[in-house]
Amino acid sequence: MGVYEELQDRGLIAQVTDEKEVREMVNSGKAIFYIGFDPTADSLHVGHFMALCLMKRLQMAGNRPIALMGGGTGMIGDPSGRTDLRKVLTVEEIDHNIACFKEQMSRFIDFSEGKAILVNNGDWLRNLNLMEFLREAGPHFSVNEMLRARCYVNRLANGLSFLEFSYMLMQGYDFYRLYEDYGCNMEFGGDDQWSNMLAGTELIRKKLGKDAHAMTITLLTNKEGKKMGKTASGAVWLDPKKTSPYDFYQYWRNVDDADVGKCLRLLTFIPMEEIREMDKWEGAELNKAKAILAFHLTELVHGTEEAKKAEEAAKALFSGAGVSANVPSYTLSKEEYAGGVDVLNLLVLTGLAPSKGEARRNVQQGGVSFAGEKVTDIGRVFSPEELSGEPLLQKGKKSFVKVLYC
């Protein structure tokens, strides 16, 4: 089985421009492909995870990835799937985020000589002359076709700005430049990027008379069709400072039963023969499959040692064996909180709640415990004495933080 057939078997492939040609290029290791990443935050998140895994799979098969950093397009923001305008970032913020992305990507992709390339589209987009660009690219884009593109649907209903409308031209131009400068013959991306990707293949065909190809991968959604990778407190990040390895492990350990098989197929490198066997598991065995998923993905992102720590911490907590040293902790300053701290503030500080309003609801609904005791008073203040024994703050059944007071 070639790598293309494996992608099919796992259900990763959504749409492709020319299946016969793409299959041949990918299986023979002749694809020089790119995937774009707009640096809208200082860390990659679960939404990027499938793209990183795809790049890794294809590189292992001899193909050459180009990781395109959106130093230019990130100044606009991709409107695909959005109902609101993205926050406009400064150049300094974007460049900082790119540096963070590169470090995280290096855990997945081999950027050594001849293996992969990291490119910043800010190199050509930031200094682009508007009149030259309009003359060079503008005649090859149909406004009628652009308005029918799926990536603009949500924003059209709420007011699409010209800033966002230009994004498709920028992405199409990216593919054209990568084709010219690096011999890039293929683009991969999420299925919501199909219209933007076709803009690139068409621009190359119209300007150069050459064929370039595109393939989209299945979006990572739950059984309700919503994108996975979000929690009550926000996105699930790949940066351990933003989402701890334990919380990352717990996110996958707690996926819905109906989503386990899909996640194993789309995200892991576990052989399909083993996954098909796991498809038959029920009850306690299904929980075992979730644990395998959680460990495998935590190991991919954070390494074997952190995955083992997260697994051990989860087992200790849920078996009643006590608080493990590997449970996430939060250090509360004695100097700053000499008189203690209230429950709502502590929930926000530790990251168990994104806001005091959410923290208030958690307490009122009976979902918060401190040192094994349920907290029912939203005005409850924990004294310095109570904080000194490394108490466990718990929200719901599966979210824990050990409080360190020093």
Side-chain angles (χ1 to χ4, degrees):
M1 181 185 292
V3 65
Y4 187 88
E5 287 75 24
E6 183 182 356
L7 297 178
Q8 280 185 315
D9 195 23
R10 288 179 177 273
L12 272 160
I13 300 175
Q15 300 184 78
V16 63
T17 49
D18 183 330
E19 184 175 40
K20 182 179 179 181
E21 188 68 22
V22 171
R23 182 195 301 269
E24 166 60 27
M25 291 170 68
V26 166
N27 283 346
S28 61
K30 295 177 181 177
I32 302 173
F33 69 95
Y34 95 90
I35 297 180
F37 299 84
D38 274 348
T40 53
D42 59 1
S43 171
L44 297 162
H45 53 69
V46 164
H48 299 114
F49 197 57
M50 278 183 64
L52 292 171
C53 290
L54 177 66
M55 293 175 83
K56 184 179 179 72
R57 289 182 202 279
L58 293 171
Q59 186 180 55
M60 289 167 63
N63 299 285
R64 191 179 188 190
I66 299 174
L68 182 67
M69 299 291 101
T73 45
M75 298 177 73
I76 296 174
D78 185 2
S80 301
R82 301 284 297 190
T83 57
D84 59 339
L85 181 66
R86 288 184 185 274
K87 175 188 173 185
V88 177
L89 301 177
T90 66
V91 171
E92 291 73 23
E93 288 174 321
I94 290 171
D95 288 345
H96 169 73
N97 294 346
I98 287 173
C100 296
F101 275 26
K102 183 177 181 181
E103 182 180 350
Q104 292 179 337
M105 283 182 178
S106 297
R107 300 174 199 161
F108 294 84
I109 311 302
D110 179 2
F111 283 105
S112 59
E113 186 68 30
K115 296 290 187 179
I117 315 169
L118 189 136
V119 181
N120 185 346
N121 67 13
D123 292 345
W124 55 78
L125 291 180
R126 287 181 184 176
N127 298 316
L128 200 62
N129 180 285
L130 177 61
M131 297 311 298
E132 290 178 5
F133 174 72
L134 291 177
R135 286 169 62 90
E136 183 175 14
H140 305 295
F141 287 85
S142 163
V143 172
N144 289 354
E145 290 180 12
M146 290 175 69
L147 288 173
R148 287 194 292 268
R150 192 173 66 178
C151 62
Y152 290 138
V153 171
N154 288 340
R155 295 297 293 127
L156 277 170
N158 294 278
L160 177 70
S161 70
F162 181 75
L163 180 72
E164 298 168 288
F165 188 60
S166 66
Y167 190 90
M168 185 183 290
L169 278 72
M170 299 292 148
Q171 187 167 333
Y173 188 73
D174 281 346
F175 198 174
Y176 166 72
R177 284 298 301 263
L178 291 172
Y179 186 97
E180 285 278 83
D181 297 348
Y182 298 95
C184 178
N185 50 29
M186 202 173 298
E187 179 181 3
F188 293 91
D191 200 34
D192 55 352
Q193 292 292 311
W194 184 242
S195 300
N196 290 336
M197 293 162 72
L198 291 183
T201 60
E202 282 298 291
L203 185 60
I204 291 167
R205 183 181 64 80
K206 291 174 180 177
K207 283 190 66 64
L208 304 174
K210 304 288 186 179
D211 288 329
H213 299 283
M215 187 184 88
T216 61
I217 54 176
T218 308
L219 296 176
L220 186 63
T221 58
N222 60 21
K223 64 178 182 179
E224 284 86 28
K226 297 178 181 178
K227 284 187 178 181
M228 295 181 71
K230 293 281 187 180
T231 67
S233 53
V236 180
W237 303 97
L238 305 193
D239 184 343
K241 295 176 184 175
K242 296 170 78 76
T243 298
S244 71
Y246 173 82
D247 288 333
F248 188 86
Y249 177 95
Q250 283 299 109
Y251 176 81
W252 299 108
R253 179 65 182 78
N254 296 325
V255 297
D256 193 276
D257 291 357
D259 297 323
V260 180
K262 178 195 290 186
C263 291
L264 286 167
R265 283 171 166 78
L266 298 183
L267 298 174
T268 77
F269 290 80
I270 297 171
M272 280 301 298
E273 294 77 15
E274 295 180 30
I275 294 175
R276 276 190 266 270
E277 281 301 311
M278 284 189 264
D279 286 341
K280 304 171 186 176
W281 293 359
E282 297 178 352
E285 282 193 319
L286 191 55
N287 284 327
K288 181 182 175 183
K290 292 183 182 182
I292 291 171
L293 171 69
F295 185 89
H296 188 90
L297 297 187
T298 307
E299 185 178 37
L300 275 174
V301 175
H302 298 295
T304 304
E305 184 178 348
E306 290 298 330
K308 286 180 178 177
K309 287 180 180 179
E311 182 181 56
E312 187 272 330
K315 286 180 178 178
L317 282 169
F318 297 112
S319 67
V323 181
S324 163
N326 297 317
V327 170
S329 62
Y330 178 83
T331 301
L332 198 65
S333 167
K334 276 188 177 181
E335 184 177 345
E336 189 174 355
Y337 295 95
V341 64
D342 67 89
V343 61
L344 301 187
N345 198 15
L346 189 59
L347 283 165
V348 174
L349 286 170
T350 56
L352 290 183
S355 65
K356 286 194 174 181
E358 182 66 26
R360 181 188 298 268
R361 283 189 288 274
N362 294 151
V363 173
Q364 290 173 334
Q365 292 168 4
V368 176
S369 296
F370 179 85
E373 298 291 330
K374 183 171 287 189
V375 180
T376 56
D377 179 6
I378 60 172
R380 173 81 155 85
V381 175
F382 304 120
S383 68
E385 292 73 25
E386 291 176 295
L387 294 166
S388 297
E390 298 190 358
L392 196 67
L393 182 66
Q394 179 178 350
K395 187 192 77 172
K397 294 181 179 180
K398 299 169 181 176
S399 297
F400 303 84
V401 173
K402 181 166 57 177
V403 180
L404 307 178
Y405 189 56
C406 54

